[in-house]
Amino acid sequence: MWFDTWSDMWQIFVTTIIIYAALVLILRGVGKRSLAKLNIFDLVVTVALGSTLATIMLSQDTTLAEGVLAFVTLCSLQWLVAWGSLRAKWFKKLIRSEPRLLFSDGRFLDRAMRDERILRQEVHAEIRSHGFGDLEDIAAVVLETDGSFSVIPAESANTRSAMESVKRDPIDPADDARPAR
């Protein structure tokens, strides 16, 4: 349980060094995008790379060549998806989500929150984690494509250029018309 052989220990040590170097070289070749976590697909690739790394380092059944092939395949798929989404709008829509406005002008957008399965308490927590205590200080809260939240202070509300790509639902009577408190 605690120790098998020195041979096994050396194999893990050497394999880890080699596979680490291979991963760094592969990631340098395909670009920073592979670890950017800009959307859910990027996150899946990052998790898969970590899982593959652990398997290669610790599994006696996986060879270095198999591990390097797995890294090259994952990173190539990531590169192909990024390339395809830059060139084909239909593919981009299939792969990438849009940022979604959840709170705007003092109102929670309940339909958007329901569609995204986000609770008001979670929006409140995000606002607090960004250092705000009063909803009147907030112009907007956006659920980003990677699942993180952006909190736009009211003092920055006139800078709309960053909000151009945010999905805005039409005003819905189901949205809370009361000021958010």
Side-chain angles (χ1 to χ4, degrees):
M1 179 170 128
W2 297 104
F3 182 82
D4 266 340
T5 67
W6 282 108
S7 170
D8 290 343
M9 300 295 273
W10 277 110
Q11 179 183 355
I12 290 171
F13 179 73
V14 172
T15 301
T16 300
I17 291 171
I18 293 169
I19 203 64
Y20 176 79
L23 181 58
V24 168
L25 289 174
I26 292 165
L27 290 175
R28 291 287 295 163
V30 296
K32 298 173 192 158
R33 171 61 191 257
S34 295
L35 297 176
K37 290 184 262 177
L38 297 174
N39 59 49
I40 194 67
F41 187 78
D42 296 330
L43 178 63
V44 167
V45 169
T46 302
V47 170
L49 287 172
S51 176
T52 303
L53 181 67
T55 299
I56 297 164
M57 290 185 318
L58 300 175
S59 174
Q60 300 279 337
D61 299 329
T62 305
T63 66
L64 272 172
E66 292 168 338
V68 170
L69 178 61
F71 283 148
V72 168
T73 303
L74 282 169
C75 290
S76 296
L77 287 171
Q78 170 64 9
W79 187 88
L80 283 171
V81 166
W83 182 85
S85 66
L86 285 172
R87 283 161 181 73
K89 286 186 180 184
W90 68 267
F91 189 69
K92 180 181 179 179
K93 285 188 175 194
L94 178 70
I95 295 299
R96 298 174 193 256
S97 62
E98 295 179 316
R100 187 92 181 257
L101 191 63
L102 303 177
F103 179 87
S104 179
D105 300 321
R107 293 184 11 209
F108 286 97
L109 304 178
D110 291 322
R111 174 182 278 173
M113 291 174 56
R114 189 172 42 259
D115 289 349
E116 300 294 342
R117 295 174 307 285
I118 302 292
L119 300 172
R120 284 183 182 215
Q121 294 86 344
E122 293 167 320
V123 175
H124 283 145
E126 285 298 326
I127 290 170
R128 289 190 306 271
S129 74
H130 282 79
F132 295 97
D134 193 342
L135 293 176
E136 291 176 10
D137 295 334
I138 306 302
V141 176
V142 177
L143 179 62
E144 300 293 352
T145 60
D146 66 351
S148 65
F149 290 84
S150 292
V151 177
I152 314 298
E155 62 198 33
S156 301
N158 293 332
T159 57
R160 298 266 182 214
S161 61
M163 298 291 285
E164 286 178 9
S165 63
V166 176
K167 181 177 179 182
R168 296 170 189 262
D169 296 326
I171 300 298
D172 183 343
D175 291 335
D176 186 9
R178 296 169 289 142
R181 289 256 169 221

